[in-house]
Amino acid sequence: MDVSFLAPVFDASGPYATVCADVTHVTESADTELDLRVRAIAGKLTEQGAPEAVVEAVRSRLLEGNEGGEAGTVRGRAVVVAADGGVVLDQQLADVPRQEVAEWAPTPDLLPVLRALPGRVPHVVVLTDRTGADLTLATLPGQAEEEETVKGDTFQIRKFQGGGWAHHRYQHNTENKWVHNADDVASHVASVVRRAQPRFVLLAGDVRARQILTDRASGLWSDLVVSMDEGGRAAGADREPVERRAAELVAEHEAREEAEAVEKISSAGAHGLAVTGTAPVVEALRKAQVETLVLADPPDDEKLLVGASPLELGVDQGDMDALGVQEVHSVPAERALVAAAVASTAGVVVVPRAAMPGDIPVAAILRYTDDLTPTPQ
């Protein structure tokens, strides 16, 4: 998972309020139930010493569900608020969180957030007909980052149903316009794919338009196409089946990413391009060697030492002395590791503890090796 979206969290000053909450808002008594849940969360933060500005920021974000509309469809929400009351993270969760989090602490508790987030998989959704298409680029299911409408030629777009000498000319002209419009759509899709590098292109809409567009797909994105029969572009068409299918594909890609990360721990490790265990991973993070940090969930009850920046970290005081770090703080290991991954632009994958080889708490797939990288035995 690309965790660059967490950068604003670590750019802010702590302590932090970290909240993962059930904000389900679908029953007749939802307003009252949500208000009670939020009141309890606010109370926990206050008891832990969070200032009123921080508690109020959390409360207002969680209660957005009471306004109905799109916010009212969210089932789980993660909010992180910095010491000054600024909201530095506000994310919809894939579902109600498995465990509620309401913590005021020097460092944010982001592992439960990462575990509960929907997969962050860049993808393109194309709703097409014979006159053009609606293109949506998204990373999270149902949350568009960019939207674009491609309008084609609509003159004589329908096939002529009559007869006579002009019949074949009209038929041919209409087919040509369909193909021309599909070429225009394909060009726009290729531009988005080239820039955003999505994992898949979900194609829905008119069956003939999908066939023509698939035929016009360039080698750049033809292998990414997933076509579906449900969903249309017409006004009032139900988009829910398309959003549901996109969410299914995102989940499939996320599961594949987790499985590939675990497999790479062994395969890349055989060539020296992966390390396992806390100390080797910490060293690799300090040198920005890590391409993907793989964390086991639940983590060990382990602490790391951290200095003024996320990459000033070590497993003991000797490490910190070697780095020349004077001011040292003890931090839960998984929190320090996530912060270091964000600071070094590494990806993060959270996998069930049982899936990790040898019951290790953490591993890393490396960008490069050096003379100090542990060699496979």
Side-chain angles (χ1 to χ4, degrees), residues 1 5 78 91-94 112-120 254:
M1 178 188 292
F5 69 97
Q91 291 283 326
Q92 176 180 336
L93 303 180
V113 176
L114 293 176
R115 181 178 61 208
L117 282 176
R120 303 182 73 87
E254 184 183 32

Side-chain angles (χ1 to χ4, degrees), residues 186-262:
S187 176
H188 281 77
V189 174
S191 177
V192 174
V193 168
R194 191 177 296 109
R195 173 169 49 83
Q197 298 184 330
R199 306 287 181 82
F200 63 87
V201 175
L202 179 59
L203 188 57
D206 178 86
V207 61
R208 181 65 179 131
R210 283 188 284 123
Q211 291 170 347
I212 297 173
L213 182 56
T214 301
D215 291 341
R216 314 307 287 180
S218 68
L220 181 67
W221 60 280
S222 58
D223 290 342
L224 302 178
V225 173
V226 178
S227 189
M228 63 178 292
D229 294 329
E230 294 180 273
R233 191 180 178 217
D238 186 6
R239 302 290 178 95
E240 195 276 333
V242 179
E243 293 178 359
R244 183 175 63 248
R245 181 60 178 141
E248 291 171 353
L249 291 169
V250 165
E252 290 173 11
H253 278 267
E254 184 183 32
R256 192 176 307 133
E257 181 183 82
E258 292 177 5
E260 288 174 352
V262 172

Side-chain angles (χ1 to χ4, degrees), residues 85-98:
V87 178
V88 291
L89 183 72
D90 184 357
Q91 291 283 326
Q92 176 180 336
L93 303 180
D95 204 341
V96 174
R98 284 187 292 171

Side-chain angles (χ1 to χ4, degrees), residues 73-132:
T73 68
V74 178
R75 291 177 56 79
R77 196 163 192 163
V79 177
V80 179
V81 179
D84 62 359
V87 178
V88 291
L89 183 72
D90 184 357
Q91 291 283 326
Q92 176 180 336
L93 303 180
D95 204 341
V96 174
R98 284 187 292 171
Q99 66 179 81
E100 180 186 275
V101 177
E103 182 187 85
W104 172 250
T107 55
D109 186 12
L110 294 176
L111 189 61
V113 176
L114 293 176
R115 181 178 61 208
L117 282 176
R120 303 182 73 87
V121 176
H123 58 277
V124 177
V125 177
V126 182
L127 294 178
T128 188
D129 59 20
R130 300 174 202 190
T131 69

Side-chain angles (χ1 to χ4, degrees), residues 115-306:
R115 181 178 61 208
L117 282 176
R120 303 182 73 87
V121 176
H123 58 277
V124 177
V125 177
V126 182
L127 294 178
T128 188
D129 59 20
R130 300 174 202 190
T131 69
D134 298 325
L135 276 62
T136 301
L137 171 65
T139 299
L140 294 170
Q143 298 185 35
E145 295 181 11
E146 297 178 19
E147 294 180 310
E148 178 183 4
T149 296
V150 182
K151 296 181 179 179
D153 187 355
T154 59
F155 181 66
Q156 290 181 349
I157 200 67
R158 297 186 180 278
K159 284 193 174 182
F160 182 65
Q161 299 301 318
W165 64 271
H167 175 75
H168 293 295
R169 179 166 62 85
Y170 280 123
Q171 295 285 74
H172 181 69
N173 188 48
T174 298
E175 286 279 0
N176 282 344
K177 282 185 169 58
W178 294 352
V179 172
H180 174 76
N181 290 344
D183 278 334
D184 197 14
V185 173
S187 176
H188 281 77
V189 174
S191 177
V192 174
V193 168
R194 191 177 296 109
R195 173 169 49 83
Q197 298 184 330
R199 306 287 181 82
F200 63 87
V201 175
L202 179 59
L203 188 57
D206 178 86
V207 61
R208 181 65 179 131
R210 283 188 284 123
Q211 291 170 347
I212 297 173
L213 182 56
T214 301
D215 291 341
R216 314 307 287 180
S218 68
L220 181 67
W221 60 280
S222 58
D223 290 342
L224 302 178
V225 173
V226 178
S227 189
M228 63 178 292
D229 294 329
E230 294 180 273
R233 191 180 178 217
D238 186 6
R239 302 290 178 95
E240 195 276 333
V242 179
E243 293 178 359
R244 183 175 63 248
R245 181 60 178 141
E248 291 171 353
L249 291 169
V250 165
E252 290 173 11
H253 278 267
E254 184 183 32
R256 192 176 307 133
E257 181 183 82
E258 292 177 5
E260 288 174 352
V262 172
E263 191 277 332
K264 274 187 177 181
I265 294 171
S266 299
S267 61
H271 299 89
L273 282 170
V275 291
T276 60
T278 303
V281 170
V282 165
E283 183 177 353
L285 282 167
R286 283 199 301 257
K287 296 185 290 187
Q289 284 180 283
V290 177
E291 177 180 278
T292 304
L293 176 70
V294 186
L295 292 171
D297 179 42
D300 281 347
D301 185 16
E302 187 177 13
K303 298 291 184 71
L304 290 175
L305 300 180
V306 180

Side-chain angles (χ1 to χ4, degrees), residues 311-345:
L311 296 181
E312 293 179 345
L313 75 164
V315 297
D316 55 34
Q317 188 58 46
D319 285 347
M320 307 311 284
D321 292 341
L323 294 171
V325 178
Q326 302 298 318
E327 186 175 348
V328 174
H329 305 279
S330 179
V331 175
E334 72 279 4
R335 304 189 190 193
L337 293 170
V338 169
V342 174
S344 59
T345 66

